[in-house]
Amino acid sequence: TVREALLLGPLAGARVLAGARGLDREVKHVTVVDAPDAADWLRGGEFVLTTAYAVRDTREGQVDLIRRLIAVGASALGIKLRRFIDALSDDALEFAEQAGFPIIEMPYEVAWIDIITPVLGEVLHRQASVLQRSMDIHTQFIQTVLEGGGMRDIAASLAKQIDSAVAVIDMRHTLVASSGLPDQACPGVAADWAQEVALLASAENGANGHVGVGSEPWELAPDMTRVRITVEPEPDNSGILPHSLIVASIGSDGFRYGRLLAMEVDGRPFGDMDAIAIGHAVTTATLEALRLKAAEDAERRFRVNFWDDLVHMRFESQADAIKKAESFDVDVTRPSIVMTIAPDLA
């Protein structure tokens, strides 16, 4: 964050001129700009360093520069005074203060490179740590599957990593697997996942007018959604408080298995590492769903072939037919009637 960057040695003499409440903005890059249209070339997350040469003579230009930096998502503006400009205008400082955008006076005697190197070095170090942690999480999920684990084990692994309750449901709102209880992660909500899934289903299907649901893209993972569930007080549910779930689809390329639900902990919103863990869990769950689908498709084909062979008496012996039937949990030793039905598509 900007606040943490100011603790680095070369910035020890830096002074916050305005926008102190924005010091927790995240820093992803460091760059030097001195052109009036410099904001057009930014990606967001930059700690911008400048001498303000391009806007030294105009208050409007200073305000416009700050406005454009905010619009592209820059983290902060570090300015070196007494070179081309002695002070920013009151209008510029007031605008930054109201917007919560940090304006920081850089130490005059410190070279840009002495600021860029340690700040960027810390950014890269933290990014490397996040990448390593992400790889460790991915490895844990893959190991779970390689050891024969299923949806229940994937849910349990994720619940441990994000320290919350997790569930997997199919497209019909049937609970497939879960780990942890909703009311343990967020006191005052449904006592178990069966009740929580029933709330979600009734809200999404419009079956219960007392249950409301609203969804929005999750800022940490736009391909996931944050679903907010509210329950109007009734005699049988007055104890259920408003709460939210992070919901991610399980499936790929037109195949939809279901959804993964993660209960957002009361008072502790999920962070970046939680989003990474949920993402890896969804990928692993999708692979497991595809494996299950392939197995079900293969069994369905074999079962169809079995009945076709039985109807047309292609087995070499009665014992062979009985043995094959047993593999599909079919008892043909009892008196049975076999019917073949062909739909009239005309």
Side-chain angles (χ1 to χ4, degrees), residues 4-320:
E4 292 169 326
L6 295 180
L7 298 177
L8 299 175
L11 293 177
R15 184 167 62 98
V16 180
L17 302 178
R21 62 186 174 88
L23 290 177
D24 290 321
R25 286 171 173 259
E26 184 179 2
V27 177
K28 298 180 180 178
H29 316 281
V30 187
T31 189
V32 178
V33 302
D34 265 319
D37 60 347
D40 296 339
W41 307 101
L42 301 182
R43 300 177 179 176
E46 291 93 350
F47 194 135
V48 177
L49 305 176
T50 185
T51 61
Y53 176 81
V55 293
R56 64 190 186 283
D57 297 326
T58 166
R59 295 182 179 182
E60 294 79 6
Q62 295 173 13
V63 173
D64 184 63
L65 174 63
I66 295 171
R67 179 185 293 109
R68 295 172 72 176
L69 291 177
I70 294 172
V72 298
S75 302
L77 177 64
I79 183 170
K80 188 172 289 191
L81 300 176
R82 302 193 308 277
R83 180 70 175 92
F84 298 107
I85 183 175
D86 290 331
L88 283 174
S89 68
D90 292 341
D91 292 342
L93 294 176
E94 182 180 356
F95 183 82
E97 182 66 29
Q98 292 178 352
F101 182 73
I103 304 292
I104 302 164
E105 180 183 359
M106 297 286 101
Y108 183 82
E109 66 281 0
V110 179
W112 286 145
I113 192 64
D114 293 332
I115 297 174
I116 295 172
T117 299
V119 175
L120 188 58
E122 183 65 20
V123 168
L124 294 176
H125 172 71
R126 297 195 181 195
Q127 288 177 346
S129 298
V130 170
L131 180 60
Q132 182 59 53
R133 174 60 179 149
S134 176
M135 290 299 297
D136 291 343
I137 293 172
H138 176 72
T139 300
Q140 291 177 30
F141 281 118
I142 294 299
Q143 192 64 34
T144 296
V145 174
L146 291 177
E147 293 174 354
M151 291 296 183
R152 185 184 302 275
D153 301 286
I154 294 171
S157 180
L158 177 60
K160 183 177 180 180
Q161 290 169 3
I162 66 175
D163 192 23
S164 186
V166 175
V168 175
I169 62 174
D170 65 16
M171 298 305 294
R172 296 184 175 88
H173 291 92
T174 301
L175 184 62
V176 175
S178 65
S179 181
L181 297 175
D183 64 347
Q184 292 178 344
C186 188
V189 304
D192 57 39
W193 274 113
Q195 295 179 358
E196 181 66 23
V197 172
L199 278 178
L200 180 64
S202 64
E204 291 182 337
N205 296 331
N208 189 337
H210 292 277
V211 182
V213 61
S215 62
E216 61 187 12
W218 189 24
E219 61 275 8
L220 297 181
D223 57 332
M224 304 180 195
T225 58
R226 173 183 279 118
V227 175
R228 302 183 186 277
I229 299 177
T230 57
V231 182
E232 294 182 8
E234 283 187 306
D236 59 342
N237 63 24
S238 57
I240 299 178
L241 300 178
H243 54 283
S244 61
L245 302 168
I246 300 302
V247 179
S249 296
I250 300 174
S252 176
D253 296 332
F255 164 62
R256 287 292 174 262
Y257 174 83
R259 291 179 289 177
L260 183 145
L261 314 177
M263 178 66 65
E264 200 156 29
V265 180
D266 186 32
R268 182 180 67 82
F270 288 137
D272 289 334
M273 290 311 306
D274 297 311
I276 289 173
I278 294 173
H280 284 309
V282 169
T283 300
T284 309
T286 296
L287 293 175
E288 174 63 9
L290 290 171
R291 186 192 68 80
L292 292 173
K293 181 178 183 297
E296 291 172 357
D297 290 344
E299 181 179 353
R300 186 178 299 109
R301 287 195 302 271
F302 287 132
R303 187 180 292 273
V304 168
N305 291 338
F306 160 73
W307 286 110
D308 189 62
D309 291 341
L310 183 65
V311 169
H312 294 90
M313 296 181 290
R314 297 192 185 104
F315 292 103
E316 295 180 358
S317 65
Q318 183 179 10
D320 186 28

